[in-house]
Amino acid sequence: MTLPELDDADVRAILDAALSSGGQFADLYVEQRRSRSVGVDDQRVEDLVTGLDRGGGVRVIADGRTAYAFTNVLTREALIDAARTAAAGIDGRDRATIADLRTVQPPYSHPARRDPAELDGPGMADIVRRIDEAARDVDGAVRQVGATYGDTTQDVLLVNSEGHRHTEHRVRTRLAARVVAARDDVVQTGLEAPGAAAGLELLDEHPPDQVGRRAAERAVLMLDSRPAPAEDMTVVLAPGSGGVLFHEACGHGMEADIVAKGASVYQGRRGDKIGSDLISGVDDATIANAWGSFGFDDEGTPAQRTVLFDRGVCTDYMTDRLRADELGLARSGNARRQSYAHLPIPRMTNTYILPGDDDPDEIVRAVRRGLFCDQLGGGQVDPASGDFVFGVAVAWLIEDGELTHPVRGANLVGDGPSILARVDAVGTDFDVREGICGKDGQGVPAGLGNPTVRISRITVGGTGA
Amino acid sequence: MSADELLGVLDRIVDRARADEGVEAFGLDETETTVKAHDGAVESLSSARRRGVGIRVVSDRRVGYCYTVDLSDDALAAALDEARDNASVGTPDDGNVLPGPRPVDDFDEDQLYDAAVERVTPDEKVEAAIAVEQATRGGGRHITGTDAARYGDSVRIAAIASSTGVRADYRRSDAYLLVEALAGRDGSTTSALGLSMGRSLAELDTDATAAEAVDRATRLLGGTAPSTARLPVVFDPFVTASFLGLVAGGLTAEAVQRGRSLFAGKVGEQLAPSFVQLVDDGRLVGGPAAAPWDGEGTPTQRTVLLEDGVLRGYLHHVASAVRDGTSSTGNASRPSYSAPPGLSPTNFYIEPGTTSPAGLIADIDTGFYCQQVMGLHSGANPITGDFSVGAAGVMIRDGVFAEAVREATIAGSIPQMLEQLIAVGDDLRFLPFGGAMGGATLVVDGMTLAGGAQGDA
């Protein structure tokens, strides 16, 4: 299915209504999304849900204020009505004129090589069954398996008063396995959840049985874990596992809306040396078919690679149109929205710590006592202070350069600038994970990546003696 | 779209049901406005209108689901066919049944909806957001700014119809003020929320919302990592609400049936002191989640989970109730048309005590007043209830607030926390953390507070 037909005259009429109260800029965002998902839980295939959602929103900006109205009735009349509602929230002086409309092609595309539609309902159910079976085969201690398969196909039309018309077809596919293992009184969970801005080729790279096995192996491994110690330690982050820490503790504070509000610990620090020489990090929406990639952001700015930290120096913030103007910065293509029902705000795309020069094995061997984090759980950060806390889902104790035994219940407590400063080794390896980042009540797909990274000292909160 | 028009759409779907299948249609029509203010001016105003339907088909004990926002006859017929196709894929289960109608008694629907909400002009909404932002900003010399200052309101019309005879609708209005105060001193920055909720603007309290955010943010200034100790911890209502979200999740029958609940097999056991009552009440009209019926049309009810500290049962929707041979407690949840009914608490709360928070604090020689927890939903094991979370707050010394604390962790377990509860404050209020959770100030004895400083834990 495609978006409803809106010709140039319709679009101009909508934008004209939007600007009627003196708006300086207006745009129309129309989206159609087909979603499909199925789950297996307790060996039952259930919740095969498919559906169509679509809607359009009209945004008007004047004097730094934004008014937005959306509807999911996609007729010319309903959209003009929404435009008038938005206009009523604006009292501007410099009404923009609408430029001639011209189509702008996205600079990057992330095509699905295999359209998810090739897979029918029974095929979807088969995938989650395979995850379930593979997980159960790992060990008799596996008690519960929950698995999901999901895909979304999103068509976006974006037209603004500057005359730019963009369209983009975005496909995302994801698998997830959550396994509960139990032995005696110990109960542990394991998670594996790969995804991509791609189609069914995801299944080639991440076969369902492998996804199930990995989640189960993590849960079973943790059955033998000991309670984590509570002390300051050296922490080594495994490839892929540290991306979420960087995303939360450093990335959010580099988003321009948080900076503009004075709520970021990184405010006013562009050009400052904050981290160790070894640490460089980027936000990159251009990586082919990565989970957080796109061609255009959700207000039509081309996808970009933005350097956040260059050898420890705080470089560029991530902006949308509004905050770029407000802060006098370039648009970095980080305006994202969960759906037509949300305003675009600065968000990360794929946020990666870049590989360094150190041998990953050596990084661990040089640690006398520390924590090796193979998988972090969720985390939370206060961008104003940079303070964060992260649960550690899978970790090992490092003693005299060796991983000795798995530990559970650890969390990492600290603040972003300090950990950047305490990075003392960065490996040549690299891996990624995929997540959904929540901010202002909006969830968007976010890619997370890192090599092996060692932090000389971090507070580990644990329950062990 | 009026409730009658929405029901008309649902009727057209249900009328197509075949004799050998059950068809349920759930529709939502929502309008909402959100105004964000910053620096004394509107930052953004968003207004919305959204509607859609979700169709659940049950046949041969299998269930399938499809949703659409295209309400044309052709699109509805196609969605019904798709839901049928989806049903053919699922695993047969005795729990896959549609409930029949049950009467909703003694529920005052007028209290769910305040028509005044629709008479509030856009200008008044803008003023409300600016007012709470300005009041917060003027909250003292340490306040450096605000974040997320907003007014929001919504009107939700929900309707349901099924081939088993369910046919109902309701309308609910909601309004809130929310502000996050930023405070700073000597290079340290703190932030905290203030919140007010009601059925319309008139029920919201601007000054109290701002003062709450200001007091909570200012109190945390200058925090340092504490040394490790075992001591009584006082949870403020926000933190209590966060923990209750975790507790309520474990009290759903689905979590129990699927081996994911720390409360499995504990019905009849004394889990908390006898002064503790945990209640879920979808009929509590002042509660944010109040509704006459749940996501499957089952009447909501008051369900006592912990009665005098003893576990009495779990929350059910129809499927979990069938599996347990009991009846639904009206806890099928339906946040949107795009998802089949889930199983969630409604208004879930701890019954308040009679002592004020100040009175509880005055009784503590050395303790920790915990005002923020971070990472609760990642740092907690939902199955064992073990948790270790980041915390910020204030030390209590000789019954009064002393130095602020940050970069701390508290560790323990939900069962241990329930057992070691020593008092509940009289300050019950509902907060939107993990549902509509009614938190009050709690005092829990003997918890471990750990800091970055090396301790003896």
Side-chain angles (χ1 to χ4, degrees), chain B residues 38 43 93 113 135 143 147 249 301 327:
Chain B
H38 195 246
E43 181 182 317
D93 188 293
Y113 173 76
I143 298 299
D147 193 10
Q301 65 179 48
S327 52

mmCIF file of all heavy atoms in Angstrom, chain B residues 38 43 93 113 135 143 147 249 301 327:
data_model
loop_
_atom_site.group_PDB
_atom_site.id
_atom_site.type_symbol
_atom_site.label_atom_id
_atom_site.label_comp_id
_atom_site.label_asym_id
_atom_site.label_seq_id
_atom_site.Cartn_x
_atom_site.Cartn_y
_atom_site.Cartn_z
ATOM 1 N N HIS B 38 8.780 27.178 28.039
ATOM 2 C CA HIS B 38 10.166 27.333 28.460
ATOM 3 C C HIS B 38 10.507 28.809 28.452
ATOM 4 O O HIS B 38 10.098 29.532 27.542
ATOM 5 C CB HIS B 38 11.101 26.557 27.524
ATOM 6 C CG HIS B 38 12.461 26.386 28.093
ATOM 7 N ND1 HIS B 38 13.582 26.955 27.553
ATOM 8 C CD2 HIS B 38 12.881 25.729 29.199
ATOM 9 C CE1 HIS B 38 14.631 26.632 28.294
ATOM 10 N NE2 HIS B 38 14.235 25.897 29.299
ATOM 11 N N GLU B 43 6.872 26.846 24.092
ATOM 12 C CA GLU B 43 7.876 26.237 23.230
ATOM 13 C C GLU B 43 7.163 25.454 22.134
ATOM 14 O O GLU B 43 7.502 25.536 20.965
ATOM 15 C CB GLU B 43 8.746 25.325 24.079
ATOM 16 C CG GLU B 43 9.843 24.639 23.319
ATOM 17 C CD GLU B 43 10.613 23.711 24.246
ATOM 18 O OE1 GLU B 43 10.907 24.097 25.391
ATOM 19 O OE2 GLU B 43 10.903 22.581 23.833
ATOM 20 N N ASP B 93 -5.629 -22.633 22.749
ATOM 21 C CA ASP B 93 -5.509 -22.504 24.197
ATOM 22 C C ASP B 93 -6.907 -22.286 24.767
ATOM 23 O O ASP B 93 -7.689 -21.511 24.217
ATOM 24 C CB ASP B 93 -4.618 -21.297 24.526
ATOM 25 C CG ASP B 93 -4.280 -21.209 26.008
ATOM 26 O OD1 ASP B 93 -5.198 -20.961 26.823
ATOM 27 O OD2 ASP B 93 -3.110 -21.395 26.342
ATOM 28 N N TYR B 113 -15.593 12.178 33.673
ATOM 29 C CA TYR B 113 -15.516 13.165 32.599
ATOM 30 C C TYR B 113 -15.981 14.507 33.104
ATOM 31 O O TYR B 113 -17.055 14.635 33.684
ATOM 32 C CB TYR B 113 -16.408 12.701 31.433
ATOM 33 C CG TYR B 113 -16.534 13.712 30.335
ATOM 34 C CD1 TYR B 113 -15.496 13.917 29.440
ATOM 35 C CD2 TYR B 113 -17.697 14.464 30.191
ATOM 36 C CE1 TYR B 113 -15.611 14.862 28.428
ATOM 37 C CE2 TYR B 113 -17.824 15.410 29.187
ATOM 38 C CZ TYR B 113 -16.781 15.603 28.311
ATOM 39 O OH TYR B 113 -16.886 16.532 27.318
ATOM 40 N N ALA B 135 6.399 29.805 37.849
ATOM 41 C CA ALA B 135 6.370 29.605 39.298
ATOM 42 C C ALA B 135 7.570 28.766 39.734
ATOM 43 O O ALA B 135 8.163 28.989 40.795
ATOM 44 C CB ALA B 135 5.065 28.928 39.710
ATOM 45 N N ILE B 143 17.455 27.824 41.844
ATOM 46 C CA ILE B 143 16.798 27.272 40.645
ATOM 47 C C ILE B 143 17.422 27.908 39.406
ATOM 48 O O ILE B 143 17.409 29.118 39.231
ATOM 49 C CB ILE B 143 15.278 27.521 40.684
ATOM 50 C CG1 ILE B 143 14.658 26.802 41.888
ATOM 51 C CG2 ILE B 143 14.616 27.053 39.381
ATOM 52 C CD1 ILE B 143 14.832 25.288 41.876
ATOM 53 N N ASP B 147 12.817 22.110 32.935
ATOM 54 C CA ASP B 147 12.725 21.249 31.771
ATOM 55 C C ASP B 147 11.340 20.630 31.805
ATOM 56 O O ASP B 147 10.745 20.483 32.867
ATOM 57 C CB ASP B 147 13.816 20.164 31.849
ATOM 58 C CG ASP B 147 13.963 19.429 30.519
ATOM 59 O OD1 ASP B 147 13.370 19.888 29.514
ATOM 60 O OD2 ASP B 147 14.667 18.419 30.478
ATOM 61 N N GLY B 249 3.403 -5.751 38.722
ATOM 62 C CA GLY B 249 3.726 -6.634 37.602
ATOM 63 C C GLY B 249 3.791 -8.091 38.051
ATOM 64 O O GLY B 249 3.340 -8.988 37.348
ATOM 65 N N GLN B 301 -13.213 -3.549 39.092
ATOM 66 C CA GLN B 301 -13.583 -3.827 40.476
ATOM 67 C C GLN B 301 -12.451 -3.445 41.414
ATOM 68 O O GLN B 301 -11.347 -3.152 40.980
ATOM 69 C CB GLN B 301 -13.898 -5.324 40.650
ATOM 70 C CG GLN B 301 -12.678 -6.218 40.434
ATOM 71 C CD GLN B 301 -12.998 -7.699 40.642
ATOM 72 O OE1 GLN B 301 -13.984 -8.208 40.120
ATOM 73 N NE2 GLN B 301 -12.154 -8.376 41.416
ATOM 74 N N SER B 327 -12.490 -16.060 37.928
ATOM 75 C CA SER B 327 -13.093 -15.077 37.028
ATOM 76 C C SER B 327 -12.215 -13.834 36.927
ATOM 77 O O SER B 327 -11.418 -13.542 37.817
ATOM 78 C CB SER B 327 -14.511 -14.719 37.486
ATOM 79 O OG SER B 327 -14.502 -14.351 38.829
#
